[in-house]
Amino acid sequence: MSKKLLLVDVDCGVDDAQALMMALAAPEVEILGITCCHGNTLVDHVCGNVLRVLQVCDRLQIPVYRGASGPLLGEAHSINASHYHGKDGLGDVPDPAAPGLDCLQKEHAVLAMLRIANEYSGQVSLVATGPLTNLALAVNMDPTFPQKIKSLFIMGGNMESRGNTTVCGEFNFACDPEAAYIVLNAFECPTYIATWEFTCQNCLSWAFHKECIHQDTKKAEFMRKIYAHAAEFTERCSDDLGEDWGKGFVSCDSYAMAAAIDESFVTNAMTCAVSVELSGTYTRGMMVLDTIGKLNKKQKASVMTKCDMEKFKRFMMAALK
C-alpha cells in the first residue's frame, strides 16, 4: 500500500514536537518536507527545534525549510508563547549536540511548498500546526496552490468563541488573522480543523501522560525534558486559564496530526463554512462558523467535535517508543 504523503508546517513548540514524532512513528506516513513559521518562538528557534526532533528520531534526512518570520500584517512577534513553551520553544533545555541551522535547506519554505505541491499534485496532505502565514503566502504567490493539495489539517481557531490568547482568539489564528482568513477562504480541498476547545474537551489523563513520557526510550526522555516547563506552567496557572484547561494533558497539535495519519480518528465533526473575523474590537482572529449558510460558501470544513481517544493514545505511545 502506498504511503500517505504529508507536508508539515510548524511553529515548533512542545506540542508540534509531539505531533511530528507521532507522524515520524507512523509506518504508513511519509513526510516530504517540514516548513517552519514564526509563532511559539522566533522562526530560527523553530527551525532548530525541528532539527532536534528529527535528530532524536533519527530522521535528519527529511528536508527542513525556513519560512515566514512574522505575520502578513501587524508587528512581528507581538504574540508569543514563551510562558508555556519556553523562550526557545522547547522548554529552554538546550542540547549542545543539536544540529546547526546549516542543516536547513537553502530554498524558502513557501517556494518549497509550491514545488512539492506541483511535483505531487493531488497527492499531498498539508498539516498546519502554527500560524498560517506560510500557507497564505503560498496562495498569494500561486492561486492554484490550494487546488494541488489533497487535504488540509489545521490546529487552530475556535468554535465557541473561547480565546486562549485574546478574549476570543486562539493562539495560531490570533498570531496572523489575515493569513487564517486567506487560507480558510482559498482552500477547497477536504479541510479538517482541530480547534482550541476541541482539544481541551478531549484531553488525556495526567496518569496516561506520565506513563507515556516515562517509557524507557531516548524519545521519551527528550519529551520529558522539553515538556517540564509547560507542565510546571499548567500546574501553576490552570485555575486562571478557563474551566477546560488543566483537567488533563492537552497536546493541541497532535490532534490535527492524528487526523492526518488516520481520518477515522475523527468520529464526529460539524460540517460548515468557516471564516475569520478581522476587524472586531474583541473578536479579531476569532474563527467564524457559518451554521446557517449566510456566507454562501460552497466549500465546507469539518470542525472536529469528537475523536477516537483509544486510537489517539496508541499514536501518542508509539511516538515515544
Side-chain angles (χ1 to χ4, degrees):
M1 185 175 66
S2 60
K3 291 192 174 185
K4 291 186 175 180
L5 303 180
L6 300 186
L7 176 58
V8 185
D9 189 73
V10 299
D11 62 336
C12 196
V14 293
D15 55 341
D16 304 76
Q18 178 77 62
L20 282 173
M21 294 171 79
M22 181 184 287
L24 292 168
E28 68 275 25
V29 165
E30 179 180 355
I31 299 178
L32 298 176
I34 302 171
T35 53
C36 300
C37 182
H38 71 99
N40 288 322
T41 184
L42 302 176
V43 70
D44 278 353
H45 289 327
V46 171
C47 294
N49 294 346
V50 170
L51 292 171
R52 286 179 65 183
V53 171
L54 294 180
Q55 181 182 55
V56 78
C57 294
D58 298 320
R59 300 290 290 278
L60 275 170
Q61 73 273 20
I62 296 175
V64 182
Y65 306 88
R66 181 193 281 110
S69 60
L72 299 181
L73 298 176
E75 183 180 352
H77 320 307
S78 59
I79 298 175
N80 66 64
S82 61
H83 58 285
Y84 182 79
H85 295 276
K87 292 180 180 179
D88 71 354
L90 288 189
D92 295 326
V93 282
D95 178 4
L101 295 184
D102 57 330
C103 294
L104 296 174
Q105 302 296 307
K106 303 303 182 186
E107 187 178 23
H108 190 277
V110 176
L111 296 178
M113 277 185 171
L114 296 176
R115 175 180 52 78
I116 292 169
N118 280 319
E119 291 176 1
Y120 298 90
S121 183
Q123 303 175 61
V124 180
S125 292
L126 179 52
V127 186
T129 62
L132 298 176
T133 313
N134 284 335
L135 280 68
L137 288 170
V139 171
N140 285 346
M141 289 188 70
D142 180 2
T144 69
F145 170 64
Q147 301 168 23
K148 299 166 186 172
I149 297 299
K150 179 180 179 181
S151 50
L152 174 62
F153 298 85
I154 295 171
M155 190 283 130
N158 43 17
M159 57 186 177
E160 297 172 357
S161 73
R162 299 188 190 189
N164 62 5
T165 300
T166 61
V167 175
C168 295
E170 176 276 331
F171 179 84
N172 287 339
F173 280 24
C175 276
D176 196 340
E178 281 73 22
Y181 179 91
I182 289 170
V183 170
L184 292 188
N185 285 284
F187 279 78
E188 296 185 357
C189 60
T191 299
Y192 302 83
I193 302 175
T195 65
W196 164 243
E197 299 98 329
F198 164 76
T199 64
C200 290
Q201 292 163 11
N202 291 276
C203 62
L204 294 162
S205 71
W206 287 111
F208 172 81
H209 173 62
K210 184 176 181 180
E211 178 187 358
C212 189
I213 66 171
H214 282 88
Q215 297 179 77
D216 187 19
T217 67
K218 67 176 182 178
K219 295 178 186 178
E221 181 184 7
F222 174 72
M223 187 56 62
R224 284 197 301 274
K225 289 179 179 179
I226 67 172
Y227 191 72
H229 183 281
E232 188 277 332
F233 171 82
T234 302
E235 181 178 359
R236 176 167 46 87
C237 300
S238 60
D239 290 341
D240 301 324
L241 294 173
E243 61 184 33
D244 291 323
W245 182 265
K247 289 183 177 179
F249 171 62
V250 180
S251 180
C252 294
D253 296 334
S254 299
Y255 294 83
M257 187 63 77
I261 294 170
D262 183 352
E263 292 175 16
S264 69
F265 161 74
V266 182
T267 58
N268 195 46
M270 184 167 22
T271 303
C272 62
V274 291
S275 190
V276 179
E277 174 59 53
L278 297 181
S279 59
T281 301
Y282 301 110
T283 57
R284 175 170 159 78
M286 185 180 80
M287 190 165 80
V288 176
L289 277 65
D290 180 22
T291 60
I292 57 175
K294 292 292 187 181
L295 294 179
N296 295 316
K297 287 180 61 177
K298 178 181 178 181
Q299 174 59 16
K300 307 293 192 293
S302 296
V303 182
M304 304 178 202
T305 56
K306 293 182 181 179
C307 60
D308 185 336
M309 291 303 293
E310 291 306 311
K311 184 169 289 185
F312 192 53
K313 289 178 182 178
R314 292 195 295 271
F315 287 161
M316 294 288 281
M317 291 293 288
L320 302 186
K321 282 185 178 178

